[in-house]
Amino acid sequence: TFVAPAARRGAGAGRRVHWASAAATGVAEMRELRRKSEVVFRADKRPVILFDGVCSFCNANVNLALDWDPEGVFRFASLQSEVGRALLARAGRAPTDLSSIVVVEERNAYLKSDAVLRIARRLPQALPGMNTGAALANFAVPKFLRDAAYDTVATNRYRIMGKLDECRVGDDRDQFEKRFIPDSILDGA
């Protein structure tokens, strides 16, 4: 692995990019996607949850997060969207990597169990004790065990609840439409 040059200058300092990811995508494309991702945080500093847009299990969890986050702490984008691809590159991942939920903040990114715990700790109206439980799990359960449990669920997510034909997108009937980042935000970036 190597430390992404852009990561050393700011967003995602210290994150590592896998050689295979960079080689398959191309260093120039990764650099361009990271550059485009800057517009996502230009006017709105809220974190973005990247989720598998065709996964029914993932969409059900996005719905829970929306219900438990009436204040709008989080924004959302599917991993398959252009915004998702750009934010994956910003996080040091291949833009085609659909293997993990990702929470992207202006300067950091969280994957797998770290992302889930980050979300749980920041949801204002989560289940009673969930915020405290997430904080304790972060310190009491070793990361390799948390990620192993995450990987088991992630590997079986389509079997658990199935797959959708298309990604969820906000429409005029969706009260949460403004929480989903449209690809058009990257126009002109």
Side-chain angles (χ1 to χ4, degrees), residues 83-153:
V83 168
R85 289 172 40 81
L87 290 174
L88 279 169
R90 181 185 189 96
R93 308 295 290 183
T96 56
D97 183 1
L98 305 179
S99 67
S100 175
I101 187 172
V102 183
V103 175
V104 184
E105 297 176 347
E106 187 175 21
R107 300 256 179 250
N108 297 302
Y110 303 88
L111 305 167
K112 297 185 179 191
S113 65
D114 288 337
V116 172
L117 293 174
R118 185 83 175 165
I119 294 165
R121 284 196 310 261
R122 299 207 46 201
L123 284 175
Q125 292 187 359
L127 295 173
M130 191 162 120
N131 301 30
T132 305
L136 287 172
N138 192 43
F139 294 107
V141 181
K143 181 175 173 44
F144 78 92
L145 288 177
R146 289 187 283 118
D147 282 348
Y150 177 90
D151 287 338
T152 300
V153 173

Side-chain angles (χ1 to χ4, degrees), residues 51-60 80 157-158 162-164:
F51 66 99
D52 182 346
V54 298
C55 167
S56 294
F57 180 75
C58 305
N59 276 277
Q80 293 90 342
R157 68 186 184 266
Y158 297 135
K163 201 170 180 180
L164 303 170

